[in-house]
Amino acid sequence: MGGTTPKRAVVAALFASTLLVLAQANNHQIEHDPQGYIFHDHCVQHPYMSNGMDIPNWDFSGSTVVTDDYIRLTPDRQSRRGALWNKIPYNPPIESKYPWFDVTLAFNIHGQGKKLFGDGLAFWYTQNRMQQGPVFGNQDMFVGLGIFFDTYSNVQQGHQQYISVMVGDGKTHYDHENDGGNAKIAGCAMQFRGREDDPPVYARIVYQDTLLRVYVDSDGEGFEECFVLRRVYLKRGWYFGVTAATGDLADNHDILSIKVGEAVEMTDKEKADIDERIARDKAHPENIANKGDPQYVQEPEGGSMFGIIAVVIVVLGVAGVGGFLYFGGQKKKAKFDF
């Protein structure tokens, strides 16, 4: 008989529908890797310990434990600190005064706590490394960039998860009791703590032309903007790292991967959006937080001629006084050196 039986037609239709669903699911898959060239010396990914002894190009300390599936900075226990630091200073082959980077951090924070948990983890790009301290396991008064994934808000009695940023100058204190206090430049409220079997949270940190952008994918639906900061000045030769800490409250803080790549040029749409927002800030400066913060002051590129002349006069004056004292001392010495 020629023709297709109803049964075969139904099977064929189901097969075609299945292929369509799989194709759509594949198209919906979110890309989390950096878009530019990957700098493998600054990356951490599975398998973590290729030689069974250590993580290539990385140091870990404190309560950090490396497993086959994750790097646990702290267990779900009180008063723990853990750290993971790149050994190699970041100095990319990019023709730019500032070291462009596009970092994707994959992590999972979870534990037994139902309502209150802490304290959180931090991503770092700083001048120093492996300096244990009170700021999510790292030193206070640091120099460089710190991005904090805080699971316990001291101000809100713990009932808020917040991502914030600070650019340290080596003198400014991180006010932990006030969730960063005035040192905190920008941030966003976002739920990034989950369960052990949840998919990882991805944070994308892009630094390009003194512009810092942070995006987060906390539910597998794609990146959402957390904040954009301009006039952020970071130097070459600093170090990437992640740390975490627990206090009276605790959580597991797990790192799944860190991928560091070259930041690519923004699209025309992204540039237009940034330009529009900068123009809006300039039109309404009263809306800019921390107006006295260095992030909102132009980086000094050199002094004026008056300043240079003043410095020269001071130097000559000091040299003259020093010469007078020196030769006077020599004469006194010769006077009594029989």
Side-chain angles (χ1 to χ4, degrees):
M1 297 178 58
T4 304
T5 64
K7 186 175 182 180
R8 287 181 179 176
V10 170
V11 171
L14 288 174
F15 182 71
S17 299
T18 302
L19 289 177
L20 180 61
V21 169
L22 289 174
Q24 291 175 340
N26 187 57
N27 290 335
H28 188 259
Q29 188 174 4
I30 305 299
E31 179 61 52
H32 292 107
D33 286 352
Q35 299 175 13
Y37 177 81
I38 302 295
F39 300 114
H40 294 284
D41 287 346
H42 303 285
C43 295
V44 175
Q45 53 191 334
H46 190 270
Y48 305 116
M49 292 181 164
S50 57
N51 60 6
M53 297 294 292
D54 54 21
I55 304 173
N57 303 320
W58 291 77
D59 285 323
F60 56 91
S61 64
S63 59
T64 303
V65 174
V66 182
T67 74
D68 290 338
D69 300 318
Y70 51 77
I71 301 171
R72 178 157 292 171
L73 300 177
T74 73
D76 190 1
R77 297 290 183 270
Q78 295 177 326
S79 303
R80 303 296 174 92
R81 292 175 179 174
L84 178 67
W85 283 95
N86 198 194
K87 295 179 182 179
I88 301 175
Y90 185 63
N91 192 24
I94 301 169
E95 293 184 2
S96 171
K97 180 178 178 180
Y98 304 102
W100 290 17
F101 55 74
D102 184 346
V103 178
T104 299
L105 171 66
F107 64 91
N108 193 359
I109 302 176
H110 59 93
Q112 302 176 38
K114 301 300 181 184
K115 293 184 178 180
L116 298 176
F117 10 82
D119 284 335
L121 65 82
F123 168 86
W124 304 95
Y125 178 67
T126 52
Q127 185 179 54
N128 298 316
R129 60 188 291 274
M130 298 290 286
Q131 302 291 322
Q132 193 179 93
V135 185
F136 297 91
N138 192 32
Q139 68 177 126
D140 198 2
M141 314 265 200
F142 59 90
V143 176
L145 173 69
I147 298 175
F148 312 118
F149 299 83
D150 195 344
T151 53
Y152 183 87
S153 170
N154 291 284
V155 175
Q156 299 292 333
Q157 304 292 302
H159 297 286
Q160 187 184 44
Q161 297 172 44
Y162 199 80
I163 303 170
S164 63
V165 60
M166 173 180 171
V167 179
D169 57 4
K171 303 174 184 177
T172 304
H173 166 65
Y174 179 87
D175 186 357
H176 194 77
E177 295 303 314
N178 290 296
D179 302 327
N182 292 330
K184 179 174 60 182
I185 303 172
C188 68
M190 186 174 291
Q191 300 297 311
F192 52 83
R193 183 189 183 273
R195 297 186 297 270
E196 184 175 8
D197 55 353
D198 281 347
V201 173
Y202 293 91
R204 184 179 176 217
I205 302 148
V206 185
Y207 179 61
Q208 184 179 28
D209 281 338
T210 73
L211 189 73
L212 178 69
R213 296 174 285 151
V214 173
Y215 308 89
V216 178
D217 181 358
S218 60
D219 55 12
E221 293 298 318
F223 283 113
E224 295 180 37
E225 181 186 299
C226 179
F227 59 81
V228 175
L229 265 180
R230 57 195 178 96
R231 298 179 186 171
V232 177
Y233 305 108
L234 305 175
K235 293 186 178 181
R236 291 172 173 269
W238 293 354
Y239 298 90
F240 293 113
V242 285
T243 63
T246 64
D248 293 335
L249 299 168
D251 256 335
N252 299 302
H253 296 92
D254 299 340
I255 301 299
L256 281 73
S257 66
I258 303 172
K259 297 181 181 180
V260 179
E262 180 183 2
V264 300
E265 291 285 352
M266 289 187 287
T267 65
D268 291 340
K269 184 179 182 304
E270 289 174 326
K271 289 180 180 178
D273 178 59
I274 295 296
D275 289 343
E276 180 184 346
R277 294 164 71 173
I278 291 174
R280 192 162 58 240
D281 280 350
K282 289 180 177 178
H284 301 282
E286 69 278 4
N287 295 331
I288 299 177
N290 295 339
K291 287 191 279 287
D293 190 275
Q295 305 318 302
Y296 297 97
V297 179
Q298 289 289 353
E299 182 189 30
E301 296 292 344
S304 64
M305 183 58 67
F306 174 79
I308 294 172
I309 293 172
V311 170
V312 171
I313 291 173
V314 170
V315 171
L316 290 175
V318 171
V321 172
F324 175 81
L325 293 176
Y326 174 80
F327 287 111
Q330 290 296 312
K331 289 179 180 178
K332 288 182 180 179
K333 180 179 177 183
K335 202 170 172 182
F336 296 99
D337 189 15
F338 299 146

